[in-house]
Amino acid sequence: MRYYASAPGKVILAGEHAVVYGYPALVAALNLRSTACVETVESREIEVISDRWGRALFPLEGSREEHELFPVALVARKLLSESRAALGLRIMLSSEIPAGAGLGSSASTFVATASALCAALGLEPDLGGIREAAMEGERRVHWNPSGVDVEVALNGGVLLYRRGQAPERALLSSPLRLVLGFSGVPKRTGDMVKVVAEFSKQSPEIFSVCMESIAGIATRLAHSLPRGDLEESGWLMNVNHLLLTILGLSTAQLDGMVAACLSSGALGAKLTGGGGGGCIVCLSRPGEEERVSEAIRGRGGEPLVAEVSLEGVKTWREG
Ligand code: PMV
């Protein structure tokens, strides 16, 4: 029997980085997913095969910590030890989400993996257990993760998320399409989180003004988007981008793509996720996505039109 699960990637609409410090972030699941397929095997090892990172074998304890796929093995080890099963595992991974783009590819992979593993090992697939196991992987990849990526991969939809609290769902009145622009520069979120930690030490007063302002933006956007007020929503995203720039998270290329999107008629644009590379997210009037995509291309970025998806993690089995 093969056990499958898939989970969505995400885009942060407002509040990245501030969410690490306990402020709210508004995050949306995308119709781009990662999928995990799990089989139990006799040999007492964890084999991980990924369309992106190749194949690796991990023992049930210790070693190979530097390998890109090691965090997946950590998720598997946690659930194997909970199940007390004397088994090995084969985990096959694929993803539609670009890596290092700030679109939640790692969290969606960990959530899908944890979910498929719970099914394969006969563990009760409750969201809390899947969340805990997925965070094992996230903590390895990111430095001090807020948990926002894992939460939206579990639940789907648009969430106002605050660290350690149950997320509030924002219900959109109509489907929402967003234009993403990938700079082509992958970045490590943990390094960018450290940039902000350094800023907070150097300039604590400016840091706290930025944090309070970003929190206000995320909360207000959680009302303006469901109301369908695209003008106000776009403006809030623009202000959020400026605040992230003050914190040292933007780059000339990200700023260039944001400016080009706004000149092409977009209502709002900002860097999304860790910054320092990765992606921008852009809000445009319905039907204007192609014009905005062209503006991103003109600045050397890769555009991607994605839809907000209501579907969180889902599991199935075959064979
Ligand atoms: O993984 P990314 O690049 O989408 O960033 C996640 C958002 C941060 O707020 C920068 C980090 C976090 O853990 O919330």
Side-chain angles (χ1 to χ4, degrees), residues 6-11 13 25-33 97 103-104 107-108 111-112 127 130-131 147-161 166-172 307-314:
S6 76
K10 64 97 207 350
V11 63
L13 299 170
L26 191 71
V27 58
L30 297 175
N31 61 344
L32 301 169
R33 299 179 74 87
I97 307 162
L103 299 178
S108 69
V111 167
L127 285 193
I130 297 169
R131 179 187 293 111
V148 64
D149 291 16
V150 165
E151 205 57 43
V152 74
L154 286 168
N155 291 291
V158 181
L159 305 177
L160 188 65
Y161 173 84
E168 285 171 44
R169 224 175 240 288
L171 296 174
L172 302 184
E307 247 169 66
V308 172
S309 165
L310 294 179
E311 192 165 53
V313 64
K314 69 171 183 189

Side-chain angles (χ1 to χ4, degrees), residues 10 12 15-20 25 100-106 138 142-149 161 163 187-189 192-193 272-275:
K10 64 97 207 350
I12 298 183
E16 52 274 268
H17 287 284
V19 70
V20 173
L103 299 178
S105 73
S106 58
E138 276 290 272
H142 293 324
W143 182 72
N144 190 15
S146 67
V148 64
D149 291 16
Y161 173 84
R163 203 168 184 157
K187 50 87 209 133
R188 289 202 174 266
T189 302
M192 303 316 292
V193 171
T272 183

Side-chain angles (χ1 to χ4, degrees), residues 201-282:
K201 279 193 227 134
Q202 299 296 326
S203 311
E205 356 34 46
I206 303 174
F207 172 78
S208 75
V209 172
C210 287
M211 292 294 118
E212 293 295 338
S213 307
I214 291 173
I217 289 169
T219 310
R220 207 164 138 186
L221 191 59
H223 291 102
S224 62
L225 261 189
R227 254 198 339 264
D229 188 341
L230 296 183
E231 259 85 19
E232 175 167 311
S233 301
W235 174 74
L236 289 167
M237 288 167 66
N238 292 337
V239 181
N240 195 167
H241 180 74
L242 294 176
L243 291 161
L244 292 167
T245 305
I246 292 169
L247 292 168
L249 299 164
S250 196
T251 64
Q253 196 196 355
L254 294 175
D255 286 343
M257 287 198 291
V258 163
C261 288
L262 297 177
S263 307
S264 79
L267 299 166
K270 63 182 274 291
L271 74 84
T272 183
C279 267
I280 64 159
V281 55
C282 182

